[in-house]
Amino acid sequence: MTTWQDFFATQDLTHIRKWIAYTRSLGVAVYPSDQDVFRAFDLTPLDQVRVVILGQDPYFNGEADGLAFSSGRAKVDGKPDGKPRIPVSLQRIVAEVRDDGFEVASTWRGSLEAWARQGVLLLNTALTVQHGTPGVYMQNWSRFTKECIAYLATRRHPHFILWGSAALATFRDAVKLHLDSNLILGQQCHLEQAGVRYDTDLPTFSYSAHPAARNATPNPLKGSRPFNKANEVLRWRRRGDVDWSLR
């Protein structure tokens, strides 16, 4: 059985690790913490991956917890109710979760760990970010992320939810290198096209603008139904639904 350990054995991350250590030696914070950088892989074993949500890079103000779009480290806002401050992108994701018919409990505090434990790999295009400077590590992680996507696409055939142009470009580059991109990027696998065949072994995907897009009014995810679409694919492939509720 192939595992994440087999994949990581093919990757040389020495340069990235040295660059992060050097940045921190200058007194600049890098998120998430070292123990959380690969948390997505720890919580979602390779043989359980059913869906991949691909974003851009972690939150750059300390909320990042190693899972794309999750804010399990969100700061409490200081109000009497002690509720965490949820980033705008996650607020918009939560709104679409509700619109897609799933529950969001009043006690939920920002973590998407429940998704990760159901086979949803919450992956960013860059796994680290510098404090206050989004995008600074995108190029450093580019090769790793593309090879990870190709590794998944050829072994697990997951459904991909792509949020943002960086995610779409990374996905395209990965499949062009390793798979027949004409099939994957054409009608057969894009859920917005007619005649899609969900039971194909090729990876399917849906795409929306990044939920934090500044020119988005009011929510770039509104009406896109990414969660029910993912479950529709999973049912066709007899892999079971994901419970997208947040509790």
Side-chain angles (χ1 to χ4, degrees), residues 43-53 113-122 152 156 158-159 234 239 242 244:
L43 292 181
T44 312
L46 179 63
D47 64 350
Q48 295 179 22
V49 176
R50 298 186 285 164
V51 178
V52 179
I53 293 181
E113 182 175 331
W115 293 359
R117 293 191 180 279
Q118 294 182 76
V120 180
L121 183 67
L122 296 162
L152 282 163
R156 291 295 302 162
H159 173 66
L234 294 176
R239 292 188 178 182
V242 172
W244 298 98

Side-chain angles (χ1 to χ4, degrees), residues 12-32:
D12 184 1
L13 300 175
T14 305
H15 175 72
I16 297 175
R17 294 183 189 278
K18 286 183 176 179
W19 183 252
I20 292 172
Y22 173 71
T23 303
R24 285 177 171 154
S25 74
L26 298 177
V28 179
V30 176
Y31 306 118

Side-chain angles (χ1 to χ4, degrees), residues 172-186:
R172 281 178 166 164
D173 287 347
V175 299
K176 283 177 182 178
L177 286 173
H178 297 272
L179 297 166
D180 187 340
S181 59
N182 290 327
L183 287 175
I184 293 176
L185 301 177

Side-chain angles (χ1 to χ4, degrees), residues 51-246:
V51 178
V52 179
I53 293 181
L54 186 62
Q56 183 169 308
D57 53 2
Y59 299 121
F60 56 81
N61 286 323
E63 303 98 333
D65 63 4
L67 305 176
F69 297 105
S70 180
S71 65
R73 308 285 185 265
K75 300 174 183 177
V76 175
D77 59 16
K79 294 180 181 178
D81 58 12
K83 290 185 177 180
R85 290 180 287 182
I86 304 298
V88 171
S89 58
L90 187 52
Q91 291 179 32
R92 290 172 170 174
I93 291 168
V94 168
E96 188 60 21
V97 168
R98 289 194 178 100
D99 286 352
D100 225 356
F102 297 95
E103 176 191 358
V104 179
S106 60
T107 53
W108 176 73
R109 299 185 65 81
S111 173
L112 300 180
E113 182 175 331
W115 293 359
R117 293 191 180 279
Q118 294 182 76
V120 180
L121 183 67
L122 296 162
L123 182 66
N124 275 314
T125 305
L127 271 62
T128 55
V129 68
Q130 194 169 297
H131 178 77
T133 315
V136 72
Y137 283 113
M138 296 291 285
Q139 191 59 41
N140 301 71
W141 286 103
S142 176
R143 179 176 176 178
F144 170 87
T145 309
K146 289 172 186 176
E147 293 191 0
C148 178
I149 291 169
Y151 198 83
L152 282 163
T154 56
R155 288 164 176 80
R156 291 295 302 162
H157 315 299
H159 173 66
F160 288 84
I161 297 173
L162 310 174
W163 285 335
S165 58
L168 180 60
T170 299
F171 177 79
R172 281 178 166 164
D173 287 347
V175 299
K176 283 177 182 178
L177 286 173
H178 297 272
L179 297 166
D180 187 340
S181 59
N182 290 327
L183 287 175
I184 293 176
L185 301 177
Q187 286 190 344
Q188 223 178 339
C189 297
H190 194 294
L191 300 192
E192 304 307 319
Q193 301 289 343
V196 67
R197 289 184 58 197
Y198 300 147
D199 54 346
T200 177
D201 281 341
L202 295 173
T204 51
F205 73 97
S206 63
Y207 167 74
S208 297
H210 194 282
R214 294 183 181 276
N215 60 351
T217 306
N219 184 348
L221 302 185
K222 187 170 181 60
S224 62
R225 302 182 60 248
F227 310 109
N228 271 311
K229 285 179 180 177
N231 279 349
E232 187 175 348
V233 174
L234 294 176
R235 284 193 291 271
W236 269 89
R237 291 177 173 169
R238 298 182 180 179
R239 292 188 178 182
D241 287 16
V242 172
D243 180 3
W244 298 98
S245 300
L246 298 170

Side-chain angles (χ1 to χ4, degrees), residues 26-42:
L26 298 177
V28 179
V30 176
Y31 306 118
S33 64
D34 281 342
Q35 67 185 26
D36 284 342
V37 170
F38 298 106
R39 185 165 174 250
F41 300 93
D42 294 334

